[in-house]
Amino acid sequence: MDQVFIDHETGEDWPARPADAAPRDGALLDAYSTAVSDVAERVGPAVVRIDVRRGGPRGGIGSGVVISPDGFILTNSHVVQNARRAEATLLDGRTLTARVLGDDPDTDLALLRVDEAATLPFAPLGDSSALKRGQIAVAIGNPLGFDATVTAGVVSALGRSLRASTGRMIEDVIQTDAAINPGNSGGPLVSSRGEVIGVNTAIIQGAQGICFAVASNTASAVLGEIIRHGRVRRASIGVGVAPWTLPRRIALRLGLDQKTGAMITMVEPNSPADEAGLLTGDVLLGLDGRIVTTPGDLVRALDAGMIGRVAPLDTLRRSERRRVWIGPKERG
C-alpha cells in the first residue's frame, strides 16, 4: 500500500513524494552556492590588498574595500596604524598608491583615497540596521596573504560590543561565523544583495566561528566625519567613570527606574565637569535626556552633536539627586 499524507486543513490525502524525486535539499544548497558565488563575483573586484611600509621593505598587510568609483577605500585603523600612505592592489593585479585621509582608532576604521585618476569597481555600503540574525554573510579578503579569499556563513548576532585599542567600546558590532583570519582585517562583510554590511575587524583567539565586523552604519558615520573634518569629532566632559549599582532603597525613595549609573572616579582640572562642580564619587544618571546606566551610555551620549552645547546632567550626590548644566568640549 502506498504511503499517503493527510492535509489537516482540507482533509484531502496526497501521496508521498516518490523516492526517486529530486531532493529539495539539493536545490536549496544550489541556491545557497549561487548566492555566495554571485556575491563573490560582484564584490570581489572591489576588495583590495592593503600594504603599508613602515621603515622597512614591508610593513603591515590587510584588506580594504573600495566604496566609491573615484577611489575611496575603507579599511581598519589597525591596518594603517598611523601611516600616511599605503598601496592598494586590486583583483586585476593593478597596484595603486593611496593616501590615508583619516583614521579612527575608537572604531578601528580608516579611510583612504587612491592618488591615480581612475574609475574603480566598488561595493556600496548597506543599511546594517536592517540586518537579521541568520541571514547570509560573506567575508572577502586576503587572509594570511591568500588573495581574494571568500568565506561564507551567517550573521550570528547583532549589537555586540568590542573593546578598541584605545579602551573605548565599539558599539553595534556584528558577530558572524564566516571565517576571518589575520589579513582579513579591513575587508568587507557582505550581504547576499552584494552590499557591504560590515568591516571585518577581529577574531577571538582559540575560538571557532566567532568573528566580528564593525557595522556599516558606524562606518558611514565615521567616513562622513573624516571627509568633512579629517577626523572623527567627539565630545568630552573630562571625567573618568566606572559602573555603579544604585542601592534599592535610594532608587525607590527617588523614584528611579534605573538600577545602575556611572560613578565619577576622576575629574580633570579646568574641564567642563570641573567647571560644573562635579566631584569624585558623584554618580551620573542622565545627560541631555538620555539615561546613563553604564560608562558606555555616557560615551555614546557624548557624540559630535554635543560639542559646544550646554546640556542638563542628572547626578546623584550623597543619596540626593541633583541637576547641573554642562558644556561638553571637543575631545583632544
Side-chain angles (χ1 to χ4, degrees), residues 274-307:
D274 190 21
E275 294 170 359
L278 296 178
L279 302 173
T280 300
D282 287 349
V283 178
L284 306 184
L285 302 175
L287 174 62
D288 197 30
R290 300 168 69 173
I291 295 175
V292 173
T293 59
T294 65
D297 288 341
L298 179 63
V299 170
R300 284 188 291 273
L302 290 168
D303 56 23
M306 292 295 295
I307 298 172

